[in-house]
Amino acid sequence: MKVLKFGGTSVGSAQSLRNVKQIVENCNEHVIVVVSALGGVTNQLLEMTRLACAHDESYQQILQDMRQRHLDVIKEVVAPQLQERCNFIITQFIDDTLSGLYSCLYINHDLPETEIRRLSDSIVAHGEIMSSAIVASLIDGAVPFYSPEVIKTNDIDGKHALNPGLTDQLIKEKLGSIDSKCIVMQGFIAKDTETGDFTNLGRGGSDFTAAIVAAALNAECLEIWTDVDGFMTADPRTHPEATVIPTMTYQQAQAMCDAGAKVIYAPTLRPVAELGIPVWVKNTFNPMAPGTVIR
Ligand code: ASP
Ligand code: MG
């Protein structure tokens, strides 16, 4: 079994989603697909929450544009017989976002920080829920799975910290028992162990979700599908001579992440490194390129 994670740009347009479909359907083994929100959507959801909490109605236009973008993508890539159901899911989540934000527009006092954070965590979760609905409808025979059922956090000093023991146990129990060639689930999002409120693993956290799942189920490998050919010797924007690094150790890759390389989210490597699960960094827009393998 392999775990494949697709980032925001990989699921961000009809063209890139066609590549995702092909990459997943070309796999011979069982796969678990972990997805980010459509590129830019997480930022928009956070911005909308900020605007609504400031009693600024302009978030409504952003939300309508977001709805249209998702519906347009569905029209282009999802099989006609599945479109209605997929549109329904998107509309439901957009309406849910709308009512969540609408309520704070007319509260005539400022919400306390903790309330704003709770609202923001629940609104931002909609990005991955919508993208995963699209990807699950796109891939033949895919079974959708709801990540917050297994990815659990605890509040530690006001921050969401992964509850590693419970998460590992739940993934083994609930995800490990599904016998399907392809499962599609959301990256990034989680629920608090005690309150059941939506939480998340931090910006860029979908990589971490994928690593946690790969480790719990002892996957053959973890593939991070992104929009670059792999780890590079230097930033290609400032160093055009930069080349892709074909192989790295976990330590080398971790050092680059800690130094600010944006290719993968820094907490991602630890769970897979502990088990020696190889991590491939591959380009959705250039799938034939060999990528970087970290082992
Ligand atoms: N959608 C989330 C973000 O933009 C998580 C992720 O993409 O990994 O931070
Ligand atoms: Mg990322």
Side-chain angles (χ1 to χ4, degrees):
M1 189 274 290
K2 299 206 277 191
V3 177
L4 276 60
K5 181 261 171 178
F6 292 93
T9 43
S10 299
V11 295
S13 69
Q15 185 49 49
S16 61
L17 281 163
R18 286 191 198 101
N19 292 2
V20 170
K21 177 176 166 71
Q22 214 169 37
I23 291 162
V24 176
E25 291 178 1
N26 281 347
C27 289
N28 296 319
E29 52 277 270
H30 285 231
V31 290
I32 296 182
V33 175
V34 176
V35 295
S36 290
L38 271 62
V41 163
T42 302
N43 285 345
Q44 286 179 322
L45 289 165
L46 293 172
E47 175 63 3
M48 285 191 284
T49 311
R50 193 191 65 73
L51 290 168
C53 289
H55 313 290
D56 181 338
E57 288 182 52
S58 65
Y59 76 87
Q60 290 171 352
Q61 188 56 49
I62 309 178
L63 192 58
Q64 292 320 330
D65 294 347
M66 183 180 288
R67 179 206 303 264
Q68 201 50 52
R69 177 176 174 202
H70 284 80
L71 297 182
D72 287 347
V73 161
I74 292 169
K75 203 166 160 197
E76 275 204 62
V77 297
V78 173
Q81 68 276 20
L82 299 176
Q83 285 187 9
E84 200 181 324
R85 208 190 110 68
C86 205
N87 287 343
F88 176 75
I89 296 173
I90 300 301
T91 306
Q92 213 183 5
F93 280 105
I94 294 282
D95 288 347
D96 195 43
T97 309
L98 199 64
S99 55
L101 295 177
Y102 199 69
S103 55
C104 56
L105 207 54
Y106 296 102
I107 297 172
N108 51 15
H109 58 85
D110 284 333
L111 287 171
E113 269 311 308
T114 50
E115 274 308 302
I116 294 183
R117 181 154 171 264
R118 236 181 55 168
L119 178 70
S120 168
D121 285 343
S122 96
I123 297 290
V124 80
H126 292 65
E128 269 71 12
I129 296 177
M130 293 193 290
S131 67
S132 63
I134 296 177
V135 174
S137 314
L138 179 73
I139 295 165
D140 282 342
V143 171
F145 184 82
Y146 185 55
S147 297
E149 249 189 79
V150 297
I151 310 291
K152 303 292 180 185
T153 62
N154 288 334
D155 192 308
I156 295 182
D157 297 333
K159 290 215 166 77
H160 306 311
L162 180 73
N163 180 333
L166 180 61
T167 297
D168 186 71
Q169 179 199 330
L170 290 171
I171 293 172
K172 288 186 166 87
E173 268 171 34
K174 300 194 179 201
L175 203 51
S177 62
I178 302 174
D179 184 24
S180 167
K181 172 94 196 324
C182 175
I183 296 170
V184 176
M185 62 192 281
Q186 307 84 26
F188 178 59
I189 67 173
K191 281 202 168 175
D192 184 272
T193 310
E194 261 136 52
T195 62
D197 289 339
F198 270 117
T199 60
N200 57 65
L201 302 178
R203 297 303 307 271
S206 294
D207 295 343
F208 192 29
T209 307
I212 296 164
V213 169
L217 299 178
N218 203 7
E220 195 180 299
C221 71
L222 166 62
E223 296 180 1
I224 304 282
W225 287 86
T226 179
D227 53 8
V228 292
D229 281 339
F231 274 90
M232 311 283 289
T233 49
D235 186 338
R237 285 166 304 184
T238 47
H239 296 76
E241 75 289 357
T243 54
V244 175
I245 306 170
T247 311
M248 297 171 91
T249 64
Y250 296 111
Q251 288 79 2
Q252 287 167 333
Q254 187 67 57
M256 282 185 82
C257 292
D258 294 341
K262 294 266 158 55
V263 186
I264 45 184
Y265 183 48
T268 303
L269 289 171
R270 213 174 104 182
V272 279
E274 278 171 357
L275 295 169
I277 297 170
V279 182
W280 287 88
V281 177
K282 297 272 292 176
N283 191 348
T284 305
F285 301 85
N286 186 16
M288 298 312 279
T292 297
V293 61
I294 306 160
R295 41 170 126 241

